[in-house]
Amino acid sequence: MPFTAKSGKFNASINTLTIGTGDKAITLGGENVLPFYTFDAPIENAPKVGIEITDGGMENEPECIQKCYEGCTTVVDMAKAAAAMEGVEFLSLRLEGGDPNGLNKSTEELVQIVKDVAAAVDLPLVVCGCKNVEKDAELLSKAAEALDGRNALLLAAKEENYKTVGAAAGLAYKQVVGAESSVDINLAKQLNVLLSQLGVNGQSIAMNIGTASAGYGFEYVISTMDRIKAAALSQNDATLQMPIITPVASEVWGVKEAVASEADMPEWGPAEERGIDMEIETAAADLVSGSNAVILRHPASVVTISKLIKELV
Amino acid sequence: MALKGLDIFKLSPKKNCKECGSPTCMAFSMKVAQGAVSIDACPYFSEDAKAAMSEATAPPMKTIKVGTGESEYTLGGETVLFRHEKTFVSKTRYAVAVCSCMDDAEIDAKLAAIPAVDYDRISERMFVEMIYVNYSADASTEKYVELVKKAAGLNRVLILGCEDPEAAKAALAVCKDSKPVLNGATPANYEAMNAVAAEAGVVLGVIGANNDELFDNVAALEKLGNKNMLINACTDSVKSAFATAVQFRKAAIKDSNRTCGYPSIVNVAKLAKGDAHMQAALASVFTMKYGSIVVMEQMGYAEALPLYGMRQNLFTDPQKPMKVEPGIYPINGGDENSICLTTVDFALTYFVVSGELERSGVPCNLIINDAGGLSVLTSWAAGKFSSSSIAKFFQEQEIEGKIKCRKLCIPGKVAVLKGELEAKMPGWEIIVAPREAVQLVKFLKDMQ
Ligand code: B12
Ligand code: SF4
């Protein structure tokens, strides 16, 4: 008597969302099964892997990341180097330097960087803000304008600034709008609804539902994603059917396990290996929980995670 | 799986004699179904009916015990597929693999590395709980038995990866009292292996080339009376290993297919031989998705730190935030003249911050606020870690009477509180400390 499993295929599916243009464009979502449940139904669009660079200067990066970009003097150099790395399917530019409590670079200066990067690489682009909601409203709106025609993802509109970011990215320039909430299904849903009420097409929204590093409150990330996928697929909740994109790198490269030097923690061994494994294990957990795309920073993590995805789909 | 009242009624004596205290058998059956009364309140249910009911109400996934004494672990017994439905009960356990095909130097190096990872994280000991001892037909049984003896010296649960009944018997002769797992019942050898496992009284690991073969093999062993088993996720590809782990768990829990209801072993050492990063990725995948035991080629700190942290997160009770008692915690011999630092009562935050303070060697007082067991930014965003709440807490705890030092460091993530705190806590010098706890050692040393 062979093993018989009931199919877990749903009648509803996750929205299909394309980022970028031309040959290199990527498509997220479209599946009508839980993450990697290919035994229930084929998954057409495997989750995608992106690499993150920032304008914030190399000094703030861990040593091992600096090493990967040796010889690069500008953000554009870094973008070209990153785009050529194995397994990279999209490029994420974090405009860290915009932070008013940090370098406080002007919007003009940053938008110029966005334009230069866009001219230098043909990969799909994700532009992340500096995490200050007022500055991001301006920054991301201007970036949306500068990237007209590139079908880029602006990450992200939050509850505090969704009107500005949503209007520019979603309405005026028809880019893909990122919707960022704080690890809670109701907040994620609410922001999608607000964006839709503003007139942004639900089909051009990607959610960043918030994330954490492995070991740092990650259980909330798991349950939030589990519940979002359940609502989207089994209850056909159209306000939660947006693909999920998770910026893993900006979380993991801050925690002690990834950054403490070997001199500080001799028994822990080389910092680079710890950082890579923290990034890999967090990303793998995000993917099996429901992320349709992950943003990573170390080239070795990108290689392993894209291999993992290939083997699972 | 819960039985419905009607199912119980079908099995009931239907006398309506009221001896159970209910007016009718039907009413009684409904109460039993709700768990309001025990079936034993009726003297007339037949033994057969009771047996049928206990079979039907048995948990969907078996709870299997391995090891003895301090190294005894419970595997399986899960009742749900997602942690928000109900807490997952049996943590994934990790094993490192050694093989009789390795030379002595390699074996010694592998075994010596196992105890290297051993640390506490929020009151939980993190270490490699099991050793997978693989038998190679190319080496002698004597060598295998010697290897088993050596591995047993580390006091971990042994998993004997061995498909040869004679070699398995010889190995069990030297270690069966420690309740190892005998992992190696294939469709070709299952009868002999079953006899060996039964005689030694150990758990049997079941193998199949694919899910069909695995399922049939479990069913065949159940027919022989064995219910003390683990199932091996298929090892021909990552995709099929994932399919076994998910589909068997789902079939057991959703479809009450009890033949699928056994804990699992996932051998990522085999699935990604020689690729440590891939094994780290897979260990994470199979911790999340239903591996009861995950076997790896190595477990250094790089793999372990995120993995054990992830496991700790995954298996926490969603209903209970992990909290520590608010109050003053003197560190490194801190006294009334030592510098004060303050943070929240989320156990993880306390663990991380106090660990760094200890590492600094600087005597200090860590003052833990009542912040609802939430992290710094979460409690700040929720209004539970504000200048008012901190000032009020200091007053209630009469901190000023207990500590003479008037320097207070606040977490960098809530630097915005500085001004308000200075206004609300006159006399105190409010110092904005770094954002991450890991920067505390340097910060405190520089300050001295
Ligand atoms: C898990 C989580 C939750 C969980 C709570 C779990 C818990 N026990 O705290 C839940 C889902 C319940 C939650 C809810 C909310 N959350 Co929340 N949550 C997170 C998440 C993902 C992780 C938090 C965590 O566990 N961190 C780990 C601990 C160890 O960090 P920590 O306490 O800050 O400690 C570190 C440092 O601060 C430092 N440190 C600590 N103390 C001290 C002391 C000194 C002296 C020094 C030097 C250093 C130091 O050391 C630690 C390590 O370096 C973060 C996002 C993120 N990735 O950080 C968001 C986050 C904190 N949440 C956020 C928000 C807004 C909320 C909500 C208000 C959302 C809402 N509107 O409902 C609610 C509020 C809760 C409520 N109403 O009760 C925001 C806060 C935004 C902000 N900047 O203010 C965040 C940052 C997410 C985001 N990006 O938007 N959240
Ligand atoms: S005691 Fe048993 S037989 Fe009598 S009414 Fe109750 S359930 Fe029915």
Side-chain angles (χ1 to χ4, degrees):
Chain A
M1 190 184 66
F3 170 65
T4 47
K6 284 199 190 131
S7 173
K9 192 169 100 180
F10 297 96
N11 293 326
S13 55
I14 302 301
N15 297 345
T16 318
L17 176 68
T18 300
I19 305 175
T21 54
D23 294 354
K24 301 263 172 80
I26 51 169
T27 302
L28 311 181
E31 71 274 9
N32 59 353
V33 292
L34 292 178
F36 301 113
Y37 284 23
T38 52
F39 37 78
D40 285 333
I43 292 176
E44 216 168 288
N45 302 308
K48 301 294 183 288
V49 185
I51 195 157
E52 173 176 281
I53 57 168
T54 96
D55 75 297
M58 269 291 145
E59 322 69 81
N60 302 326
E61 295 295 304
E63 234 171 81
C64 60
I65 303 287
Q66 297 186 14
K67 233 175 40 198
C68 304
Y69 292 97
E70 232 159 47
C72 296
T73 50
T74 63
V75 183
V76 171
D77 290 345
M78 287 176 64
K80 284 186 190 156
M85 286 171 187
E86 185 188 340
V88 171
E89 295 170 291
F90 65 93
L91 181 72
S92 174
L93 174 60
R94 182 173 288 282
L95 301 174
E96 215 170 41
D99 186 356
N101 300 314
L103 293 176
N104 198 16
K105 291 191 195 168
S106 72
T107 300
E108 293 67 45
E109 185 183 347
L110 291 166
V111 169
Q112 191 55 50
I113 294 177
V114 172
K115 281 187 188 156
D116 294 346
V117 167
V121 298
D122 58 356
L123 283 182
L125 290 176
V126 174
V127 179
C128 302
C130 65
K131 295 196 170 169
N132 176 290
V133 286
E134 289 96 35
K135 183 75 169 262
D136 280 355
E138 184 185 298
L139 201 50
L140 294 178
S141 304
K142 289 277 176 346
E145 181 184 351
L147 291 173
D148 197 13
R150 284 298 291 262
N151 196 25
L153 167 59
L154 282 305
L155 205 61
K158 297 179 80 167
E159 199 183 330
E160 297 88 345
N161 63 14
Y162 79 94
K163 282 189 182 147
T164 325
V165 178
L171 301 177
Y173 300 103
K174 300 280 178 238
Q175 312 279 16
V176 179
V177 183
E180 179 180 341
S181 48
S182 326
V183 213
D184 179 305
I185 182 171
N186 297 315
L187 295 177
K189 186 181 166 92
Q190 181 186 318
L191 186 54
N192 291 339
V193 170
L194 289 173
L195 281 166
S196 308
Q197 286 169 353
L198 191 70
V200 176
N201 183 350
Q203 303 289 328
S204 46
I205 296 176
M207 294 188 275
N208 166 14
I209 63 109
T211 185
S213 296
Y216 289 87
F218 199 84
E219 67 270 34
Y220 294 94
V221 177
I222 301 168
S223 288
T224 305
M225 287 204 210
D226 282 346
R227 295 178 60 202
I228 287 179
K229 292 291 170 179
L233 296 173
S234 73
Q235 290 151 34
N236 194 11
D237 184 341
T239 62
L240 287 168
Q241 283 167 344
M242 295 72 179
I244 297 175
I245 181 164
T246 307
V248 177
S250 50
E251 279 303 317
V252 299
W253 291 99
V255 299
K256 179 176 182 187
E257 289 86 339
V259 300
S261 70
E262 190 173 0
D264 264 357
M265 301 300 294
E267 70 277 21
W268 280 9
E272 177 163 21
E273 283 305 302
R274 282 186 264 122
I276 295 171
D277 278 343
M278 181 53 99
E279 187 161 49
I280 288 176
E281 291 181 27
T282 304
D286 277 314
L287 288 164
V288 290
S289 296
S291 293
N292 297 86
V294 288
I295 303 175
L296 311 177
R297 205 174 287 173
H298 198 292
S301 319
V302 173
V303 168
T304 298
I305 292 297
S306 53
K307 187 166 168 223
L308 174 75
I309 292 171
K310 282 205 185 76
E311 295 202 17
L312 278 170
V313 173
Chain B
M1 192 198 69
L3 266 191
K4 293 207 182 70
L6 220 52
D7 300 326
I8 301 174
F9 175 67
K10 281 185 196 145
L11 298 166
S12 77
K14 304 192 185 70
K15 286 152 126 23
N16 293 331
C17 68
K18 301 189 176 65
E19 278 179 52
C20 58
S22 293
T24 61
C25 293
M26 183 67 195
F28 178 71
S29 301
M30 291 298 176
K31 282 192 190 160
V32 173
Q34 290 160 4
V37 289
S38 155
I39 189 81
D40 296 325
C42 163
Y44 306 113
F45 262 88
S46 71
E47 285 310 313
D48 283 354
K50 280 195 206 167
M53 285 182 49
S54 84
E55 176 77 359
T57 52
M61 187 182 190
K62 291 213 171 45
T63 300
I64 301 287
K65 286 197 156 105
V66 299
T68 53
E70 276 193 6
S71 312
E72 186 186 73
Y73 301 102
T74 300
L75 305 171
E78 303 294 349
T79 55
V80 293
L81 294 173
F82 301 103
R83 64 176 292 285
H84 63 267
E85 300 171 308
K86 202 156 186 269
T87 315
F88 290 165
V89 290
S90 302
K91 274 180 247 181
T92 306
R93 302 293 174 176
Y94 304 108
V96 165
V98 291
C99 177
S100 62
C101 56
M102 294 173 178
D103 62 33
D104 285 347
E106 193 180 352
I107 288 172
D108 288 344
K110 283 252 172 223
L111 292 178
I114 290 174
V117 169
D118 200 333
Y119 61 101
D120 271 359
R121 186 179 205 269
I122 325 180
S123 326
E124 185 181 342
R125 183 178 168 209
M126 306 300 190
F127 67 114
V128 177
E129 296 105 341
M130 304 188 177
I131 303 177
Y132 194 93
V133 192
N134 201 46
Y135 168 78
S136 160
D138 298 335
S140 66
T141 300
E142 290 70 42
K143 186 174 176 198
Y144 185 57
V145 173
E146 283 314 304
L147 175 59
V148 168
K149 277 196 206 156
K150 228 186 214 176
L154 289 174
N155 281 325
R156 321 274 152 148
V157 175
L158 299 184
I159 306 166
L160 307 175
C162 178
E163 295 175 14
D164 178 323
E166 288 311 312
K169 210 185 247 175
L172 282 168
V174 301
C175 70
K176 68 167 187 279
D177 291 342
S178 66
K179 297 284 175 205
V181 176
L182 174 55
N183 194 38
T186 67
N189 71 7
Y190 75 95
E191 283 176 302
M193 291 302 271
N194 185 53
V196 175
E199 196 193 308
V202 299
V203 175
L204 185 60
V206 189
I207 297 170
N210 49 48
N211 278 353
D212 285 341
E213 206 180 279
L214 177 63
F215 182 80
D216 285 344
N217 202 10
V218 175
L221 282 155
E222 281 184 328
K223 247 196 200 134
L224 296 177
N226 196 339
K227 298 254 156 122
N228 204 18
M229 295 186 273
L230 297 175
I231 51 169
N232 280 263
C234 297
T235 49
D236 57 322
S237 72
V238 168
K239 198 169 172 163
S240 58
F242 189 71
T244 314
V246 173
Q247 289 193 289
F248 273 55
R249 169 85 166 256
K250 222 170 107 185
I253 285 170
K254 280 282 216 221
D255 310 331
S256 307
N257 187 340
R258 293 214 157 65
T259 301
C260 295
Y262 294 91
S264 64
I265 303 184
V266 188
N267 197 330
V268 308
K270 249 191 202 163
L271 289 169
K273 202 167 186 309
D275 186 345
H277 286 150
M278 190 62 177
Q279 287 186 32
L282 291 172
S284 172
V285 166
F286 287 109
T287 299
M288 301 282 296
K289 290 292 170 184
Y290 314 142
S292 306
I293 298 175
V294 170
V295 184
M296 302 167 76
E297 280 183 306
Q298 60 174 42
M299 178 75 89
Y301 271 97
E303 293 90 358
L305 292 167
L307 192 57
Y308 287 96
M310 178 74 74
R311 177 182 78 177
Q312 188 170 49
N313 284 169
L314 179 64
F315 285 88
T316 48
D317 180 345
Q319 253 68 57
K320 266 190 279 167
M322 298 198 292
K323 277 205 237 185
V324 291
E325 265 312 297
I328 307 173
Y329 290 75
I331 291 178
N332 300 325
D335 62 21
E336 57 180 20
N337 297 312
S338 309
I339 186 163
C340 300
L341 302 102
T342 194
T343 191
V344 294
D345 57 346
F346 179 34
L348 175 61
T349 306
Y350 169 76
F351 160 82
V352 173
V353 173
S354 63
E356 293 305 314
L357 292 176
E358 277 164 23
R359 218 159 56 82
S360 76
V362 176
C364 57
N365 294 302
L366 180 58
I367 299 172
I368 301 291
N369 282 263
D370 181 354
L374 298 172
S375 80
V376 170
L377 277 181
T378 312
S379 59
W380 176 77
K384 289 178 181 164
F385 187 54
S386 62
S387 57
S388 324
S389 80
I390 296 173
K392 188 161 157 245
F393 181 79
F394 270 58
Q395 229 162 36
E396 279 170 9
Q397 297 274 319
E398 295 170 353
I399 305 248
E400 295 197 355
K402 293 175 187 159
I403 294 175
K404 288 196 185 126
C405 179
R406 288 290 177 268
K407 279 183 201 288
L408 178 63
C409 303
I410 60 170
K413 288 186 182 170
V414 288
V416 293
L417 296 181
K418 182 176 154 76
E420 294 170 30
L421 277 174
E422 278 166 349
K424 289 191 176 126
M425 296 172 57
W428 285 86
E429 180 190 345
I430 306 295
I431 303 167
V432 175
R435 290 179 64 84
E436 300 298 337
V438 64
Q439 300 159 314
L440 264 170
V441 176
K442 183 171 183 301
F443 170 78
L444 283 176
K445 285 193 174 147
D446 287 352
M447 219 159 68
Q448 278 193 322

